[in-house]
Amino acid sequence: MDGRRYFEYIVVGCGGVGSGTLYWLSKKAGIDVLGLEQFELGHHNGGSQDHSRIIRLAYHDNRYTKLTPDTYKAWEAVEKEAGLQLVYNTGGVQFTRKDEMTHVIDAYAKAMAENNISFERLKGSQLRAKFPQFEIDDTYDTIYQPIAGLVDAALANSVHVQLARANGASILEHCPVQKIEKLPNGRVLVHTPKGVFQCRRLIVTAGAWINHVLGSIGVHIPVYVTQEQVTYFATPNVKDFTKAKYPIWIYHSPKYDFYGMPMHGNSGSKIGIDAGGPVVSVDTRNYEPDKTREQAFASLLGKILSEMAIDGKTKYDISKFNIDREAITNPDWTPTLYMGTGGKVPTKKSSTSKL
């Protein structure tokens, strides 16, 4: 950086959104872009890493389905410049019991139809015929959307950073922002352990740390931070759970939205609960697996999936799928956000960030 202290643009936080911001800024502004990351690049403290993240056109609201086709165009541009595949198409499934959450499936269908996104509304038996891994019958309502899959999240973040640097951007690791202040001329001073930088535009993509950055100028964003975890399940029927044969999926229940995706970067298929973890802060979160959530996977979803793969059926009655855990049984549990339109939401306006 040759002691440089002024940049047109400074990006704080170089995770998924931040690295993408750096890349797209660098294509136009080149050497006038600086990225600041408080940890090492590619760290696992936030919510932007792991082997895979879902990408899809299907959403339950017109506000999202207006935008989702452009996400693929953006990734195609990055892949073309990098010469690497980052997005893998598998198709996507949304499903629920008819007597529970069909209104969510209706909302997905309406939002996609309004934006000319193709999909198939299928009976449970029709989905099972297409994907035998799903042991469901016509008591289930489903949607299949062919343009969905996963992004290699960790690789994508790294590619964004490398391409941004190739375009002239500067990026500093282990450089937390200590304070920001606005100057009378409209520029912004950014104080860090590695010096004070100045910019015309400051872009804060710090995720759960956003208020650590903005607090110095008296700004507070009401953010709920939840601690999330995923589980990888092995199977003797490996081929049936590869990207060529197994779609990403979201199951909508009255309490939670469960999601899964095929093997990628790991020898097991990935399953998680969206926004199902406890509300924490960046200071109180930990890295210990939630045994209750882990058991719920092992005794229900995990066993169901493994039995379907091995035996073609499950001994469990999935129509009575339930989880005996604090998040459900404790009336004082803090509500969180969901992928559909049937779950509870926080009672005050807020955002959600996942760790």
Side-chain angles (χ1 to χ4, degrees):
M1 291 173 55
D2 298 324
R4 185 176 176 187
R5 289 293 178 262
Y6 177 80
F7 295 83
E8 284 287 292
Y9 308 96
I10 295 179
V11 178
V12 179
C14 301
V17 176
S19 64
T21 303
L22 284 169
Y23 166 70
W24 288 103
L25 278 174
S26 73
K27 287 179 71 68
K28 293 185 177 181
I31 62 173
D32 284 324
V33 178
L34 172 65
L36 302 176
E37 172 54 55
Q38 64 175 320
F39 304 109
E40 73 277 3
L41 291 170
H43 66 84
H44 293 276
N45 298 309
S48 298
Q49 290 296 113
D50 205 358
H51 304 292
S52 55
R53 293 301 174 96
I54 287 176
I55 183 171
R56 55 193 168 115
L57 297 184
Y59 274 84
H60 63 281
D61 192 290
N62 183 53
R63 290 174 294 180
Y64 300 109
T65 50
K66 283 181 178 178
L67 298 174
T68 52
D70 289 324
T71 63
Y72 279 85
K73 296 175 183 177
W75 283 116
E76 286 170 4
V78 177
E79 288 180 318
K80 183 177 181 180
E81 185 169 346
L84 290 172
Q85 182 174 3
L86 303 173
V87 178
Y88 296 83
N89 198 70
T90 65
V93 171
Q94 316 274 335
F95 67 110
T96 188
R97 284 185 55 86
K98 287 183 177 179
D99 59 355
E100 291 181 344
M101 303 291 285
T102 286
H103 66 281
V104 174
I105 303 299
D106 291 338
Y108 272 85
K110 181 175 183 292
M112 287 191 287
E114 288 175 349
N115 289 281
N116 299 313
I117 296 174
S118 63
F119 64 91
E120 295 179 70
R121 190 79 177 254
L122 302 174
K123 296 179 179 178
S125 59
Q126 292 174 310
L127 179 68
R128 183 178 175 183
K130 184 183 286 286
F131 299 108
Q133 299 93 328
F134 294 89
E135 182 87 1
I136 61 175
D137 56 27
D138 288 346
T139 61
Y140 288 80
D141 196 2
T142 81
I143 278 181
Y144 173 69
Q145 208 288 314
I147 304 177
L150 62 88
V151 178
D152 190 316
L155 179 59
N157 295 345
S158 178
V159 166
H160 274 145
V161 166
Q162 293 178 72
L163 292 180
R165 281 176 163 160
N167 291 333
S170 299
I171 302 171
L172 294 178
E173 301 177 87
H174 304 289
C175 191
V177 171
Q178 299 167 319
K179 183 175 73 171
I180 59 177
E181 55 182 312
K182 192 170 183 179
L183 300 176
N185 62 5
R187 292 180 178 178
V188 179
L189 287 182
V190 182
H191 296 257
T192 80
K194 297 187 177 182
V196 178
F197 301 95
Q198 188 177 151
C199 65
R200 187 171 62 86
R201 291 286 185 268
L202 179 69
I203 302 97
V204 180
T205 54
W209 289 267
I210 187 169
N211 288 316
H212 287 58
V213 178
L214 298 179
S216 60
I217 57 170
V219 175
H220 178 83
I221 307 296
V223 173
Y224 283 97
V225 181
T226 60
Q227 182 166 314
E228 302 303 322
Q229 72 181 44
V230 298
T231 305
Y232 289 88
F233 290 98
T235 171
N237 292 38
V238 173
K239 185 182 294 185
D240 292 333
F241 292 89
T242 59
K243 295 186 285 289
K245 290 181 173 288
Y246 187 53
I248 63 100
W249 56 265
I250 300 171
Y251 173 70
H252 303 281
S253 79
K255 294 292 184 181
Y256 292 109
D257 289 319
F258 298 85
Y259 64 89
M261 57 187 82
M263 297 176 182
H264 180 81
N266 195 302
S267 61
S269 61
K270 178 179 178 179
I271 298 178
I273 303 175
D274 183 60
V279 175
V280 296
S281 72
V282 293
D283 300 314
T284 62
R285 63 86 55 86
N286 61 61
Y287 294 88
E288 296 298 321
D290 182 334
K291 295 298 182 183
T292 304
R293 273 190 283 170
E294 193 172 286
Q295 287 176 355
F297 288 142
S299 63
L300 291 171
L301 293 180
K303 280 192 175 181
I304 289 169
L305 287 172
S306 61
E307 287 180 358
M308 289 180 193
I310 298 169
D311 304 320
K313 60 182 179 181
T314 178
K315 62 184 178 184
Y316 290 95
D317 180 3
I318 57 176
S319 68
K320 298 179 180 179
F321 180 57
N322 200 0
I323 303 177
D324 184 14
R325 50 174 291 184
E326 185 182 4
I328 295 176
T329 60
N330 183 354
D332 296 323
W333 189 264
T334 303
T336 52
L337 300 176
Y338 297 86
M339 293 181 184
T341 57
K344 296 180 180 179
V345 298
T347 55
K348 61 181 180 179
K349 292 182 179 179
S350 67
S351 308
T352 299
S353 181
K354 293 181 256 184
L355 291 174

